PDB file of all heavy atoms in Angstrom:
ATOM      1  N   GLU A  40     112.021  54.391  60.603  1.00  0.00           N
ATOM      2  CA  GLU A  40     110.918  53.527  60.964  1.00  0.00           C
ATOM      3  C   GLU A  40     109.661  54.321  61.249  1.00  0.00           C
ATOM      4  O   GLU A  40     108.581  53.970  60.847  1.00  0.00           O
ATOM      5  CB  GLU A  40     111.297  52.706  62.182  1.00  0.00           C
ATOM      6  CG  GLU A  40     112.089  51.491  61.802  1.00  0.00           C
ATOM      7  CD  GLU A  40     112.150  50.551  62.977  1.00  0.00           C
ATOM      8  OE1 GLU A  40     111.217  49.755  63.116  1.00  0.00           O
ATOM      9  OE2 GLU A  40     113.113  50.631  63.736  1.00  0.00           O
ATOM     10  N   VAL A  41     109.893  55.363  61.940  1.00  0.00           N
ATOM     11  CA  VAL A  41     108.736  56.172  62.288  1.00  0.00           C
ATOM     12  C   VAL A  41     108.064  56.695  61.034  1.00  0.00           C
ATOM     13  O   VAL A  41     106.858  56.673  60.889  1.00  0.00           O
ATOM     14  CB  VAL A  41     109.169  57.339  63.192  1.00  0.00           C
ATOM     15  CG1 VAL A  41     108.068  58.353  63.286  1.00  0.00           C
ATOM     16  CG2 VAL A  41     109.539  56.814  64.570  1.00  0.00           C
ATOM     17  N   THR A  42     108.875  57.104  60.137  1.00  0.00           N
ATOM     18  CA  THR A  42     108.294  57.637  58.915  1.00  0.00           C
ATOM     19  C   THR A  42     107.477  56.575  58.202  1.00  0.00           C
ATOM     20  O   THR A  42     106.347  56.818  57.774  1.00  0.00           O
ATOM     21  CB  THR A  42     109.413  58.116  57.985  1.00  0.00           C
ATOM     22  OG1 THR A  42     110.272  58.954  58.748  1.00  0.00           O
ATOM     23  CG2 THR A  42     108.830  58.869  56.833  1.00  0.00           C
ATOM     24  N   ALA A  43     108.068  55.440  58.118  1.00  0.00           N
ATOM     25  CA  ALA A  43     107.345  54.383  57.427  1.00  0.00           C
ATOM     26  C   ALA A  43     106.046  54.055  58.135  1.00  0.00           C
ATOM     27  O   ALA A  43     105.003  53.877  57.522  1.00  0.00           O
ATOM     28  CB  ALA A  43     108.230  53.136  57.355  1.00  0.00           C
ATOM     29  N   ALA A  44     106.158  54.007  59.422  1.00  0.00           N
ATOM     30  CA  ALA A  44     104.952  53.670  60.174  1.00  0.00           C
ATOM     31  C   ALA A  44     103.891  54.736  59.986  1.00  0.00           C
ATOM     32  O   ALA A  44     102.698  54.442  59.835  1.00  0.00           O
ATOM     33  CB  ALA A  44     105.299  53.535  61.658  1.00  0.00           C
ATOM     34  N   ASP A  45     104.347  55.956  60.006  1.00  0.00           N
ATOM     35  CA  ASP A  45     103.380  57.024  59.816  1.00  0.00           C
ATOM     36  C   ASP A  45     102.706  56.925  58.463  1.00  0.00           C
ATOM     37  O   ASP A  45     101.480  57.051  58.340  1.00  0.00           O
ATOM     38  CB  ASP A  45     104.083  58.378  59.935  1.00  0.00           C
ATOM     39  CG  ASP A  45     104.358  58.699  61.386  1.00  0.00           C
ATOM     40  OD1 ASP A  45     103.790  57.993  62.252  1.00  0.00           O
ATOM     41  OD2 ASP A  45     105.129  59.633  61.647  1.00  0.00           O
ATOM     42  N   LEU A  46     103.525  56.700  57.500  1.00  0.00           N
ATOM     43  CA  LEU A  46     102.957  56.577  56.164  1.00  0.00           C
ATOM     44  C   LEU A  46     101.946  55.449  56.104  1.00  0.00           C
ATOM     45  O   LEU A  46     100.848  55.595  55.568  1.00  0.00           O
ATOM     46  CB  LEU A  46     104.086  56.312  55.160  1.00  0.00           C
ATOM     47  CG  LEU A  46     104.806  57.558  54.701  1.00  0.00           C
ATOM     48  CD1 LEU A  46     106.000  57.197  53.854  1.00  0.00           C
ATOM     49  CD2 LEU A  46     103.830  58.438  53.919  1.00  0.00           C
ATOM     50  N   LEU A  47     102.373  54.391  56.689  1.00  0.00           N
ATOM     51  CA  LEU A  47     101.483  53.246  56.688  1.00  0.00           C
ATOM     52  C   LEU A  47     100.164  53.591  57.346  1.00  0.00           C
ATOM     53  O   LEU A  47      99.079  53.253  56.868  1.00  0.00           O
ATOM     54  CB  LEU A  47     102.146  52.093  57.423  1.00  0.00           C
ATOM     55  CG  LEU A  47     101.307  50.827  57.505  1.00  0.00           C
ATOM     56  CD1 LEU A  47     101.119  50.275  56.105  1.00  0.00           C
ATOM     57  CD2 LEU A  47     101.997  49.818  58.391  1.00  0.00           C
ATOM     58  N   HIS A  48     100.301  54.267  58.423  1.00  0.00           N
ATOM     59  CA  HIS A  48      99.100  54.643  59.154  1.00  0.00           C
ATOM     60  C   HIS A  48      98.176  55.488  58.285  1.00  0.00           C
ATOM     61  O   HIS A  48      96.987  55.237  58.172  1.00  0.00           O
ATOM     62  CB  HIS A  48      99.527  55.418  60.388  1.00  0.00           C
ATOM     63  CG  HIS A  48      98.427  55.559  61.375  1.00  0.00           C
ATOM     64  ND1 HIS A  48      97.804  54.485  61.966  1.00  0.00           N
ATOM     65  CD2 HIS A  48      97.819  56.652  61.874  1.00  0.00           C
ATOM     66  CE1 HIS A  48      96.877  54.900  62.791  1.00  0.00           C
ATOM     67  NE2 HIS A  48      96.853  56.211  62.760  1.00  0.00           N
ATOM     68  N   LEU A  49      98.793  56.473  57.709  1.00  0.00           N
ATOM     69  CA  LEU A  49      98.013  57.348  56.840  1.00  0.00           C
ATOM     70  C   LEU A  49      97.317  56.552  55.748  1.00  0.00           C
ATOM     71  O   LEU A  49      96.125  56.711  55.475  1.00  0.00           O
ATOM     72  CB  LEU A  49      98.939  58.378  56.209  1.00  0.00           C
ATOM     73  CG  LEU A  49      98.949  59.731  56.916  1.00  0.00           C
ATOM     74  CD1 LEU A  49      99.995  60.627  56.290  1.00  0.00           C
ATOM     75  CD2 LEU A  49      97.563  60.354  56.810  1.00  0.00           C
ATOM     76  N   GLN A  50      98.088  55.696  55.177  1.00  0.00           N
ATOM     77  CA  GLN A  50      97.524  54.967  54.057  1.00  0.00           C
ATOM     78  C   GLN A  50      96.442  54.011  54.515  1.00  0.00           C
ATOM     79  O   GLN A  50      95.482  53.757  53.801  1.00  0.00           O
ATOM     80  CB  GLN A  50      98.638  54.219  53.343  1.00  0.00           C
ATOM     81  CG  GLN A  50      99.545  55.186  52.621  1.00  0.00           C
ATOM     82  CD  GLN A  50     100.659  54.463  51.939  1.00  0.00           C
ATOM     83  OE1 GLN A  50     100.886  53.284  52.200  1.00  0.00           O
ATOM     84  NE2 GLN A  50     101.362  55.160  51.071  1.00  0.00           N
ATOM     85  N   GLN A  51      96.633  53.531  55.686  1.00  0.00           N
ATOM     86  CA  GLN A  51      95.564  52.680  56.192  1.00  0.00           C
ATOM     87  C   GLN A  51      94.273  53.461  56.326  1.00  0.00           C
ATOM     88  O   GLN A  51      93.190  52.984  56.020  1.00  0.00           O
ATOM     89  CB  GLN A  51      95.966  52.114  57.546  1.00  0.00           C
ATOM     90  CG  GLN A  51      96.902  50.940  57.401  1.00  0.00           C
ATOM     91  CD  GLN A  51      97.349  50.426  58.739  1.00  0.00           C
ATOM     92  OE1 GLN A  51      97.171  51.103  59.744  1.00  0.00           O
ATOM     93  NE2 GLN A  51      97.963  49.263  58.738  1.00  0.00           N
ATOM     94  N   HIS A  52      94.452  54.660  56.794  1.00  0.00           N
ATOM     95  CA  HIS A  52      93.267  55.505  56.902  1.00  0.00           C
ATOM     96  C   HIS A  52      92.614  55.694  55.536  1.00  0.00           C
ATOM     97  O   HIS A  52      91.408  55.561  55.377  1.00  0.00           O
ATOM     98  CB  HIS A  52      93.652  56.858  57.472  1.00  0.00           C
ATOM     99  CG  HIS A  52      93.522  56.894  58.949  1.00  0.00           C
ATOM    100  ND1 HIS A  52      92.431  56.404  59.609  1.00  0.00           N
ATOM    101  CD2 HIS A  52      94.358  57.357  59.884  1.00  0.00           C
ATOM    102  CE1 HIS A  52      92.590  56.569  60.895  1.00  0.00           C
ATOM    103  NE2 HIS A  52      93.752  57.138  61.101  1.00  0.00           N
ATOM    104  N   GLN A  53      93.438  56.008  54.619  1.00  0.00           N
ATOM    105  CA  GLN A  53      92.881  56.240  53.296  1.00  0.00           C
ATOM    106  C   GLN A  53      92.201  54.996  52.773  1.00  0.00           C
ATOM    107  O   GLN A  53      91.075  55.044  52.276  1.00  0.00           O
ATOM    108  CB  GLN A  53      93.995  56.661  52.350  1.00  0.00           C
ATOM    109  CG  GLN A  53      94.519  58.057  52.682  1.00  0.00           C
ATOM    110  CD  GLN A  53      95.768  58.357  51.897  1.00  0.00           C
ATOM    111  OE1 GLN A  53      96.292  57.472  51.211  1.00  0.00           O
ATOM    112  NE2 GLN A  53      96.253  59.587  51.981  1.00  0.00           N
TER     113      GLN A  53
END
Side-chain angles (χ1 to χ4, degrees):
Chain A
E40 277 194 86
V41 166
T42 310
D45 284 347
L46 277 173
L47 179 65
H48 194 60
L49 262 175
Q50 290 179 347
Q51 280 177 346
H52 268 314
Q53 290 170 353

